[in-house]
Amino acid sequence: MFSGIIAKKGVVDSISGHELTLACPGLRPRPGESIAVNGACLTVTRASSKRPRFSFDVSSETWRLTNLSALRPGDRVNLEPALRLGDALGGHLVSGHVDATAKILKHQALR
């Protein structure tokens, strides 16, 4: 589960096939941990102990149903580690699993 509060900003390091690699100096997750990337729950598959880099295997369905397929190296992403027992709930509970997509018909900037 996630709180819906973005904890860090990361940068796309590389995309190779179905592997997405991110850089975020303030975050050092271990393989098996869940992180919401732009709101989509992903599981860390590899993490570097020397450089702040970590990777995810992204399924075809996730590429298709999220904005992750539009990412390019150098793009910034929103990161949210999964909640741990005892963490503060400053936002609201979200699962991070994508059920559908929608098309934005109109966008108006906030003033």
Side-chain angles (χ1 to χ4, degrees):
M1 294 299 283
F2 299 92
S3 69
I5 304 293
I6 297 162
K8 300 279 183 186
K9 288 281 205 175
V11 176
V12 176
D13 185 60
S14 65
I15 300 171
S16 177
H18 283 273
E19 184 176 70
L20 171 65
T21 301
L22 304 177
C24 182
L27 191 60
R28 292 200 178 258
R30 294 182 178 148
E33 289 186 35
S34 293
I35 297 178
V37 179
N38 283 356
C41 177
L42 300 177
T43 302
V44 176
T45 53
R46 290 188 309 125
S48 172
S49 58
K50 297 178 183 175
R51 297 171 54 203
R53 304 277 187 275
F54 43 94
S55 301
F56 308 91
D57 288 335
V58 183
S59 71
S60 297
E61 185 81 351
T62 300
W63 284 123
R64 189 175 66 78
L65 290 177
T66 67
N67 66 359
L68 299 179
S69 62
L71 293 175
R72 300 292 175 258
D75 286 349
R76 294 174 59 83
V77 293
N78 297 321
L79 301 175
E80 181 190 354
L83 287 170
R84 292 191 165 101
L85 196 58
D87 283 352
L89 299 176
H92 53 276
L93 292 177
V94 293
S95 72
H97 294 269
V98 177
D99 295 320
T101 59
K103 185 174 186 177
I104 298 172
L105 300 177
K106 184 177 179 182
H107 176 272
Q108 183 174 341
L110 298 175
R111 295 186 180 170

